[in-house]
Amino acid sequence: MSEPVRVGVVGLGTVGSGVVRLLVQSADHITRQAGRPIVVERAVCRDVGRDRGLPLPADRVSADIRTVSRDPSISVAALLVGGLEPARSMMIDLLEHGKDVVTANKALLAEHGPELFEIARRHGRSIAFEAAVAGGIPIVAAIGECLAANRIESIRGILNGTSNFILSTMEEEGADYADVLHLAQAKGFAEADPSMDVDGTDATQKLAILAHLAFGVWVPWGEIPRTGIEGVDADLMASAAELGYRIRLVAIASRSEGRLAMRVAPALVKIGTPLAETRGAFNAVSIVGDAVGRMFFHGLGAGQMPTASAVVADIIDTVVGRTAITFRTTGVLDPDSPAARIAGADMVQKHFLRVRVDDRPGVLSRITGILGEHGISIASVIQRDPAAADGVPLVIMTHACSTNAVAGAVAHIDASDVVSGATVCLGVLDD
Ligand code: HSE
């Protein structure tokens, strides 16, 4: 039997604890996959005294990253702490001291990816990050390796399990937003600060990482237009259902006239399509490649063991040498890539509008007139009475049109004197 590979696990939260458990409980299987045993030599966490019930001797757990980075017997470190600092400093310390790093920290890569990749390459080390996007779904390997022969045309993803759990549970059980959020936290899907789940930050950071792999550009995640799920209410869900759609938080990146159009926002997805059937904490990614056509990936995108599954697979890949090979070309700039700047990039799709208007003569023609002035053609209009205190909801479905034109029309509508609240505008996905 070959010598064991010694691993350091940095962070013993939900994911770190899952990784330790998986490495121990599936040790025989993992040994066969890696060709040698993989053992947790040391772990680092903030609260050393806490009993997590893990199969780790107390003298192997410390609060000091240097117990891993300076241990010459350790060759691979799993960095499983969230946030930017001290995670960034820890990653640099590990790379500079000769460790290959596996991480699930998407915020760190979305914010500091170019710097960290450069440091890793300078030190002849690798960074593996399958667990950073869509938890257990092997989407990083799929885009970076399995679909490498394709020019990727578009990516659409449900990339945040917490917000999908909230939307689908509210819809299926008529449950209250706050109650469902608490349940997601109890189940361990949500970020330490769940506002990053519901305001779209988490999905946007994951989209930036996927765009790097698929399009060879690092897009600063803060430049990607983002709308969270906070404004999605039962009334909006009911209007969508009446038209044959559900509402999901969808992250989109697509090539469009030499630019990269990107956004994260709630969207209407047609009932019966895979994105609409993605429920609970499941994630889904739909990709179009020029050779392969449309592909669909679905699985648990959050939670302890699905994320540990991806981390441990990356540890095995690193141990057998696969990561070192793929990391050399991971997301290397593509001279044919769409412009990194996404400002002004446009998408053509159907749109759903809910406009709250005063119920008086001429109002409908004002709204449809503004849409016409912006070149937007209407497919259907639904108006229900009686008027609520905050106006009558007018639900409009457009034909396929430019997102930029719709944004201009909505600004025009909201500046008019016939509306009694901000218009909700959502993209519509039929496939
Ligand atoms: N909080 C994330 C989610 C999981 O709900 O999908 C980790 O990325």
Side-chain angles (χ1 to χ4, degrees):
M1 174 64 72
S2 307
E3 272 290 292
V5 173
R6 298 182 196 283
V7 170
V9 175
V10 181
L12 288 177
T14 305
V15 178
S17 299
V19 166
V20 172
R21 283 204 182 94
L22 188 55
L23 284 170
V24 172
Q25 86 198 19
S26 298
D28 291 347
H29 172 76
I30 290 168
T31 300
R32 280 194 298 279
Q33 293 287 329
R36 48 205 290 209
I38 298 178
V39 297
V40 180
E41 180 69 10
R42 292 186 178 280
V44 173
C45 64
R46 262 190 316 219
D47 184 3
V48 175
R50 196 167 127 216
D51 181 9
R52 298 172 172 84
L54 293 174
L56 265 180
D59 65 350
R60 298 271 135 184
V61 182
S62 142
D64 185 351
I65 183 72
R66 289 172 300 186
T67 57
V68 170
S69 64
R70 308 301 198 273
D71 183 335
S73 75
I74 293 177
S75 53
V76 183
L79 179 65
L80 303 170
V81 295
L84 299 181
E85 282 295 350
R88 174 181 161 275
S89 306
M90 287 173 157
M91 168 100 70
I92 293 172
D93 186 48
L94 292 164
L95 293 169
E96 288 182 342
H97 289 86
K99 313 303 176 203
D100 290 312
V101 177
V102 171
T103 189
N105 187 330
K106 77 253 121 184
L108 181 62
L109 295 179
E111 193 74 40
H112 297 297
E115 175 197 21
L116 296 169
F117 276 39
E118 193 279 320
I119 293 171
R121 290 189 169 121
R122 187 155 27 96
H123 287 84
R125 307 285 23 121
S126 60
I127 301 172
F129 51 95
E130 184 62 73
V133 184
I137 303 175
I139 195 65
V140 170
I143 296 176
E145 299 166 41
C146 314
L147 298 176
N150 288 261
R151 184 177 190 266
I152 303 293
E153 301 295 342
S154 70
I155 298 174
R156 286 181 194 160
I158 293 176
L159 299 178
N160 182 266
T162 300
S163 54
N164 202 61
F165 181 78
I166 292 173
L167 289 177
S168 61
T169 309
M170 282 172 67
E171 171 194 277
E172 285 161 23
E173 296 175 17
D176 182 64
Y177 177 93
D179 291 344
V180 189
L181 175 58
H182 285 136
L183 197 53
Q185 287 175 298
K187 285 174 178 275
F189 311 145
E191 297 298 299
D193 172 4
S195 64
M196 299 179 87
D197 292 298
V198 297
D199 74 2
T201 298
D202 177 80
T204 307
Q205 291 172 336
K206 291 168 177 167
L207 184 66
I209 295 171
L210 292 187
H212 172 59
L213 293 165
F215 303 105
V217 289
W218 274 112
V219 179
W221 70 269
E223 284 182 16
I224 300 171
R226 164 173 62 89
T227 307
I229 63 166
E230 302 97 325
V232 178
D233 54 30
D235 176 50
L236 219 46
M237 287 180 170
S239 297
E242 191 178 350
L243 293 162
Y245 294 87
R246 298 199 174 104
I247 298 178
R248 295 287 183 262
L249 184 69
V250 185
I252 300 184
S254 68
R255 288 181 193 268
S256 172
E257 298 171 349
R259 284 176 176 269
L260 191 55
M262 296 175 80
R263 68 145 74 143
V264 173
L268 266 66
V269 290
K270 198 173 188 63
I271 292 174
T273 59
L275 290 181
E277 301 311 319
T278 301
R279 297 162 195 273
F282 280 81
N283 280 194
V285 186
S286 159
I287 298 183
V288 178
D290 61 351
V292 76
R294 186 177 291 282
M295 307 213 64
F296 186 72
F297 301 81
H298 178 263
L300 278 167
Q304 184 174 59
M305 295 321 273
T307 311
S309 156
V311 171
V312 173
D314 270 350
I315 293 174
I316 295 171
D317 272 358
T318 302
V319 165
V320 301
R322 279 192 289 268
T323 309
I325 296 168
T326 53
F327 187 66
R328 283 205 288 272
T329 52
T330 297
V332 165
L333 271 182
D334 169 6
D336 190 30
S337 67
R341 278 186 303 281
I342 55 171
D346 206 1
M347 270 187 270
V348 173
Q349 59 183 188
K350 287 160 63 175
H351 289 80
F352 164 101
L353 304 178
R354 185 186 67 188
V355 193
R356 287 203 183 278
V357 293
D358 303 334
D359 195 9
R360 54 185 164 85
V363 166
L364 185 55
S365 75
R366 276 290 295 285
I367 302 294
T368 57
I370 292 173
L371 290 170
E373 280 169 41
H374 289 261
I376 295 158
S377 167
I378 296 167
S380 69
V381 179
I382 301 173
Q383 182 188 329
R384 302 241 177 274
D385 47 38
D390 53 355
V392 178
L394 202 57
V395 172
I396 300 172
M397 188 69 99
T398 74
H399 288 297
C401 58
S402 137
T403 46
N404 288 345
V406 172
V410 168
H412 193 160
I413 287 170
D414 284 356
S416 76
D417 59 2
V418 296
V419 293
S420 53
T423 297
V424 174
C425 172
L426 307 179
V428 178
L429 302 173
D430 281 326
D431 58 1

